[in-house]
Amino acid sequence: MRKTIDSSGSASSREPQNWHAIDWHLVERFVRTTQQRIAKATQEKDWRRVKALQRSLNHSFSARALAVRRVTENQGKRTAGVDRQLWDSPALKWAAIGRLKQQRGYKAKPLRRVYIPKSNGKERPLGIPTMFDRAMQALHLLSLEPVAETTSDPNSYGFRKHRSTADAMGQIFVSTAQKGAAPWVLEADIEGCFDHINHEWLVRHVPMNKTILRKWLKAGVIHQGRLSPTEEGTPQGGIISPTLANMCLNGLETELKLHLGAKLKKSKVKELKVHVIRYADDFVVTGNSQELLHNEVRPWIEAFLAQRGLRLSLEKTKVVHMDEGFDFLGWNFRKYKGKLLIKPSKKNVQAFYRKVRAIVKTHLSVKQEDLIAKLNPVLRGWAQYHQPVVAKEAFNRMDNLIHWRLVRWSRRRHSNKSRPWCKSRYWQRINGRDEFAATVKTTEGSRTWKLLKLADTEIVRHEKIKGEYNPFDPAWEVYGEKLRTKRMTKNMAYQYETSMLFIKQDGRCALCTEPLDFQSGWHDHHIVRKVDGGSDAMSNRVLLHPVCHTRLHALGLTVVKPASQRLRILRG
């Protein structure tokens, strides 16, 4: 007999006995409440209380379970460390929760070194920790993240909750678009930021377990069977590394303004029009004169970074005028006769076309619908990234290049056929225009697969997040919920039925009632299974977290919708 959780009922709160019995709603509620208390203590600078709360959270069952869930459901869940172990079964995940309880005597294993290519032809070194080390990092990150968010610079946007490259772009627009805005920009890049951070600085200034932090930093790296020591830097590939790098660079904005305020009267600081916008280790600084950025701002930044074992990249750091423009995060920012236009950068456009061309070249003999299925996610992702900026011209040009690339693809497949024949074979007239499309017959009828047109993407301006927003401060909870729902609904626009389900469920999982987001992902679940006669109608479908979807099937649970078809909170 199947157990049932009704929309108005509540689940048992008994102690879980296995992985599938974990009530993720209770787990996330406990962790979130403790994180809010840590953030409040950080705001009050009560560091003794911060330490006590962090210790309590790190040893709790809920935090350990959430840490294991994170490392076994992200993109790296199938990537093993030097011990070649993966946690790919519920029994192994449950055992890992118990192993995380004993932290005294913990020893971090060396990282497995792999290299991935960069756009400039060089290679980026990644350090892959073991699953257990990743889980330990995820566990301590739960207690460190509230501190990092509370002490972060307002205009730091990389590797932070609910912040994105589009928010950084929006802040640059706010700082430079007006006629009286700063005309000069220091475009800066830190040379090998992750590879050169000073270990001693991190151990002294990061408020977490110093012994465990030092073990991570000194774990060493194994490459081609040889162990190399790690004397500096944090590994790119570690879960906690982005937060450590952000904490290392926190103060770049606030302390620079304090420094300028100490040298000048506070009333004159605004006249300098100095604004710092940072995304991870890339940042720009605006100013009202070239001399200010060269002689005052840059030397201070170099001294600030030197304390942390870092330095600016000579080849990538320069001062430019807004009329000349600069590239940042894949966009070009430039003023044309006093008007700021943000466009996709030439480098970004070229890299995208190379990617599309490589896909077409490596799929010369596949079915047309398979090629379309391969290209559409790439086209959609690039279009959505540039949706908030002046991108129509770039979209039209790219559509034209892709069209001729597909013409050559079709002619190569049928070298003895004419161009009109190839056009009639692979292009269809849909809504008054020629589309690269394939109609496939199925048992349920016919379905048409159509290649996306970049130019069909509607330009929608991005709503920038407020710089002071703190996801761990209850005062910002309503704002954060509204912002998350707006962004999720916008990004789901091309999936009409999914977006409607998301809105009906108030953006929450139908089983655990916790928020749905792109980081956790979701499953489109049929309440009555299709094999049992269930339909694809929206009345028979709900959105669930992947872990909740697995739990539902493992325990034989059923989610029941109320008559209004609008899901209510299941618990609490």
Side-chain angles (χ1 to χ4, degrees), residues 119-244:
S119 58
N120 58 6
K122 297 181 180 179
E123 290 184 320
R124 173 179 283 113
L126 290 183
I128 310 298
T130 64
M131 291 293 291
F132 185 70
D133 289 335
R134 266 180 267 173
M136 188 65 79
Q137 289 187 17
L139 175 61
H140 284 268
L141 180 59
L142 288 172
S143 61
L144 179 62
E145 207 169 17
V147 180
E149 282 291 335
T150 306
T151 57
S152 285
D153 290 331
N155 294 306
S156 162
Y157 297 98
F159 305 119
R160 295 180 62 190
K161 282 181 177 291
H162 310 305
R163 297 183 182 233
S164 64
T165 53
D167 290 311
M169 176 271 294
Q171 182 59 32
I172 294 177
F173 181 86
V174 169
S175 303
T176 59
Q178 296 181 355
K179 286 187 177 181
W184 292 92
V185 173
L186 171 65
E187 183 187 359
D189 180 80
I190 300 172
E191 186 175 346
C193 177
F194 282 86
D195 299 327
H196 300 297
I197 295 177
N198 184 279
H199 286 179
E200 294 305 317
W201 190 95
L202 283 176
V203 172
R204 285 198 308 270
H205 293 88
V206 175
M208 64 167 289
N209 188 306
K210 310 293 184 184
T211 304
I212 289 181
L213 176 58
R214 193 182 296 276
K215 287 179 179 179
W216 288 335
L217 298 175
K218 302 295 184 182
V221 174
I222 290 181
H223 181 56
Q224 296 180 345
R226 302 181 65 179
L227 175 64
S228 303
T230 48
E231 301 298 336
E232 59 183 5
T234 62
Q236 295 189 56
I239 287 178
I240 204 170
S241 295
T243 301
L244 294 178

Side-chain angles (χ1 to χ4, degrees), residues 230-274:
T230 48
E231 301 298 336
E232 59 183 5
T234 62
Q236 295 189 56
I239 287 178
I240 204 170
S241 295
T243 301
L244 294 178
N246 265 340
M247 296 192 76
C248 180
L249 297 175
N250 279 343
L252 193 61
E253 177 184 0
T254 53
E255 292 181 24
L256 173 59
K257 291 184 176 181
L258 288 174
H259 165 74
L260 295 173
K263 294 197 72 173
L264 303 168
K265 292 182 179 179
K266 288 187 178 180
S267 58
K268 291 187 177 182
V269 173
K270 289 186 178 181
E271 298 175 9
L272 300 178
K273 300 170 185 175
V274 173

Side-chain angles (χ1 to χ4, degrees), residues 311-450:
R311 63 181 181 181
L312 293 175
S313 171
L314 296 178
E315 60 182 35
K316 296 182 181 179
T317 302
K318 55 186 177 180
V319 176
V320 298
H321 196 275
M322 285 301 299
D323 292 343
E324 178 186 349
F326 64 94
D327 291 347
F328 189 65
L329 301 176
W331 291 298
N332 178 260
F333 300 78
R334 183 179 174 185
K335 279 194 172 181
Y336 298 83
K337 297 181 179 179
K339 184 176 182 179
L340 177 66
L341 294 183
I342 307 173
K343 303 178 181 179
S345 67
K346 289 182 180 179
K347 186 177 177 181
N348 183 272
V349 170
Q350 291 169 357
F352 170 71
Y353 181 64
R354 284 196 301 269
K355 184 175 183 178
V356 171
R357 183 175 60 189
I359 292 173
V360 176
K361 280 188 174 182
T362 54
H363 293 77
L364 294 175
S365 58
V366 301
K367 294 179 180 179
Q368 184 185 11
E369 57 268 27
D370 292 337
L371 178 62
I372 293 172
K374 193 74 177 177
L375 286 173
N376 274 351
V378 177
L379 298 176
R380 184 182 293 114
W382 192 72
Q384 285 186 329
Y385 186 82
H386 294 294
Q387 189 179 32
V389 303
V390 184
K392 278 294 184 184
E393 184 179 341
F395 287 166
N396 282 314
R397 180 170 174 269
M398 197 55 55
D399 278 337
N400 189 48
L401 289 173
I402 293 171
H403 170 76
W404 287 110
R405 175 59 58 184
L406 294 173
V407 168
R408 289 193 287 273
W409 175 84
S410 64
R411 294 297 303 278
R412 177 164 180 161
R413 290 165 68 94
H414 307 281
S415 56
N416 60 339
K417 298 291 186 180
S418 65
R419 180 172 290 180
W421 185 93
C422 290
K423 180 179 178 182
S424 65
R425 170 68 175 79
Y426 292 104
W427 274 263
Q428 298 180 23
R429 195 74 176 173
I430 302 175
N431 296 329
R433 70 181 186 185
D434 292 333
E435 301 278 5
F436 186 76
T439 300
V440 181
K441 292 183 179 179
T442 65
T443 55
E444 299 177 355
S446 60
R447 179 180 179 183
T448 300
W449 294 77
K450 185 178 72 171

